[in-house]
Every structure is written in C-alpha cells, then in structure tokens.
C-alpha cells in the first residue's frame, strides 16, 4: 500500500513516481507539479525511474490560488 | 476607465528586488478569487507583474489550470509557503515550489497559530536563513517588528514584508510607527503584506514609505473584485507619488495659505 495525497493506493510492485502520477491523471511533463516521497523532494527527471516503496507517503502537489 | 498614460514629472527610484526591476509596486495575491476569469481580469486591472500562488495536493476533479491562466496574463509567479507552521515544512514547501515552477523566489510564511495567522518569529528566521543559504530569493511575511525585520535582512532576505494587521482582517495598518521604523532602517525593499482592507490602506502604506504593497483578500473578496483592483492600483500609485512629492509637516495650529501682506484696511473711521 502506498499513500498518495493521503489516500491509500494499490501501487503495483516497483511502481514509479511517474506511474503514481498517471493514476492521478497527471502527465509527467505537466507544468507546475512537484512530488515529495516521505518528505523528500523528488526532482522531475527522476520520476520515470524512481520506485516508491510500500508504505511510502507520496505528496503530489500543484499550484492553487493563495495569497 | 482606461486612460492615456500621463507623464508625471517626478523623480522616482525603480522598484527592484534582488536585481529584478518591477514596473508595478503592487503584488497581487491570487487567494480568494471566486473564479479564474475574475482573477485574470483583476490581474489586468492591477497591472501586477508578480503574483503569489500556493502549493496544494493535486485535485483530479479541479477544473481549469491556474498556471495556464497566469501564463496567459504574462505574470511572474511568487510561490508562498502558506499553511506551514514549522521552518522544516516551509523549507520543504519552498523546495517543492522551486521544482514545480522553476523559480527560486519564495514568499516565506511560517505561521504561529490558526486564529491570528501571525508569523512565528523564531521559525521564520530559521527558515529564512536556510533558504537563503540554499540559493533562494526569500521574501518573508513578517511581524511589524523592526528588530525581526533587521534580523531577516541580516540573514540575506531580498525584501521584508511586514503585516499591517492580520491576514484577511482588512484592519489596515495598526502600527504605522513600527512600520516607519522598519522603513527607516531597511536597505532592502519593504512591502506591506496583509491587512489592506481598501484603497486608502494601500495609499497610506506607500505614503509611509513602503516600496510596494501585496494585496489579496481586499481585492479578491471585495463585492466587485475588478473595480477594487483598479482602486488599489490607483491608490498604490497615488501613495507613491505623494511620498515622492513630499507631504507638508503636520502642525498643531493653522498656517494661512493666503498671505497677510497687502490685506486691505477695512477699519471703519473713528466717530
């Protein structure tokens, strides 16, 4: 089980950051997206190859209106 | 209401933050606008070049892309760390924003509590120092505390952004004296951040000597956000002009504007 934005997600073994973003409907070229895994920033260039271990907390973030 | 640009014969210094010169002294916060279309109209009305954004979890249900709208307006993004209560979270959020938006500029917010949303000074200072060391251009949202402002400048912040009153309160500038102390001493730009409720608050900030004003709720939550955007842009410009023009000193008693010299003698003849 991997937690993506707080929700338990059934990621297959060896799921990458890019795979998990695809589940959210996010293209890996999408602008204005950033990802942290267990509190570590994962640079965009590493998304296709970076596998996410079971139990990890993935935060996939984007721009929202804010002061 | 569009008018031909009028050349005003006054000497002003450019508004430059970390080597970037901005034509507009009004920075717009994007929070609180009911619709993206209204936000875009308000951006055009303010003529802001720099707008703040926040980072939040991706919502697959969300409609419309904020980044696309802002790109369409031709503005630069200033990501904030709103919602962070610790230096650690704020630093991580700034790094995520750098990754997402390709900018190392950050509006640093480290909040002390939910009720007041006032900055947590010790955490703010720690986060500012760490981000400056990591190459960020840090614009901290700070208390109207001259000593804290100086400390933030000392650790390398590119500007200081004192509050006039709490975020979203619309209470204006509660302590103009402290704000002036900050302005007198600062060698980086001072931008009033938080508390503006209406145009006169923005004008006062500029008259007191702020280099710029950051405004979100006063525009976004006005009954007519686009009209208020025009009003606050005009107020920032008016306040800046008044500051450059140099106001008259306050006096306790009247000083006639009409000279006494040449005053007619209208005394009736003595009987």
């Amino acid at each position: 089980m991997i937690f993506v934005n707080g929700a338990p997600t059934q990621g297959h073994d060896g799921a990458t950051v890019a795979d998990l973003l695809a589940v959210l409907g996010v293209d890996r070229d999408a602008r204005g997206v950033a990802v942290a895994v267990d509190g570590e920033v994962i640079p965009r260039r590493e998304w296709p190859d970076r596998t996410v271990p079971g139990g990890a907390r993935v935060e996939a973030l984007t721009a929202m209106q804010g002061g | 209401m569009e008018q031909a640009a009028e050349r005003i014969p006054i000497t002003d210094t450019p508004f430059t933050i970390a080597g970037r010169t901005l034509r507009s002294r009004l920075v717009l916060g994007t929070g609180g606008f009911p619709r993206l279309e209204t936000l875009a109209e308000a951006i055009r009305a303010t003529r802001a070049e720099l707008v703040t954004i926040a980072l939040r979890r991706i919502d697959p249900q969300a409609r419309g892309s904020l980044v696309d709208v802002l790109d369409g307006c031709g503005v630069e993004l200033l990501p904030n760390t709103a919602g962070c209560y610790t230096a650690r979270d704020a630093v991580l959020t700034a790094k995520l924003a750098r990754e997402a938006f390709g900018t190392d500029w950050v509006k640093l917010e480290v909040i002390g509590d939910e009720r007041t949303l006032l900055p947590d000074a010790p955490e703010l200072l720690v986060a500012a120092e760490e981000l400056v060391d990591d190459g960020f251009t840090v614009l901290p949202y700070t208390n109207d505390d001259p000593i804290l402002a100086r400390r933030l400048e000392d650790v390398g912040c590119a500007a200081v952004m004192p509050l006039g009153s709490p975020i979203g309160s619309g209470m204006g500038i509660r302590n103009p004296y402290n704000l002036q102390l900050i302005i007198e001493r600062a060698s980086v730009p001072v931008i009033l951040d938080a508390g503006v409720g209406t145009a006169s608050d923005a004008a006062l900030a500029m008259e007191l000597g702020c280099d710029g004003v950051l405004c979100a709720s006063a525009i976004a939550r006005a009954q007519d956000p686009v009209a208020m955007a025009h009003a606050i842009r005009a107020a920032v410009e008016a306040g800046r002009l008044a500051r450059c023009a140099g106001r008259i000193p306050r006096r306790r008693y009247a000083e006639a504007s009409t000279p006494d010299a040449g005053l007619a003698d209208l005394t009736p003849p003595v009987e």
Side-chain angles (χ1 to χ4, degrees), chain B residues 213-224:
Chain B
V213 170
L214 194 156
C215 187
S217 302
I219 294 173
R221 299 200 164 105
Q223 289 183 28
D224 184 339

Side-chain angles (χ1 to χ4, degrees), chain B residues 231-271:
Chain B
I232 289 184
R233 175 193 55 76
V236 167
E237 290 176 4
R240 181 65 187 177
L241 280 172
R243 171 72 181 189
C244 293
R247 62 154 296 152
I248 61 167
R250 287 187 170 83
R251 293 174 189 279
R252 191 167 170 78
Y253 299 107
E255 186 186 53
S257 56
T258 307
D260 281 344
L263 192 63
D265 181 359
L266 302 175
T267 316
V270 180
E271 296 289 322

Side-chain angles (χ1 to χ4, degrees), chain A:
Chain A
M1 193 72 78
I2 293 167
F3 295 87
V4 179
N5 286 348
T9 304
Q10 205 65 53
H12 62 81
D13 271 358
T16 64
V17 170
D19 294 336
L20 294 168
L21 285 175
V23 174
L24 283 177
V26 177
D27 190 88
R28 71 181 193 215
D29 298 324
R31 274 203 64 214
V33 175
V35 176
V37 176
D38 288 335
E40 180 199 351
V41 183
I42 311 297
R44 182 178 290 261
R45 63 180 178 279
E46 295 179 18
W47 292 354
D49 303 319
R50 182 69 168 251
T51 55
V52 180
R57 290 172 302 110
V58 178
E59 294 290 331
L61 308 174
T62 193
M64 288 286 159
Q65 288 173 236

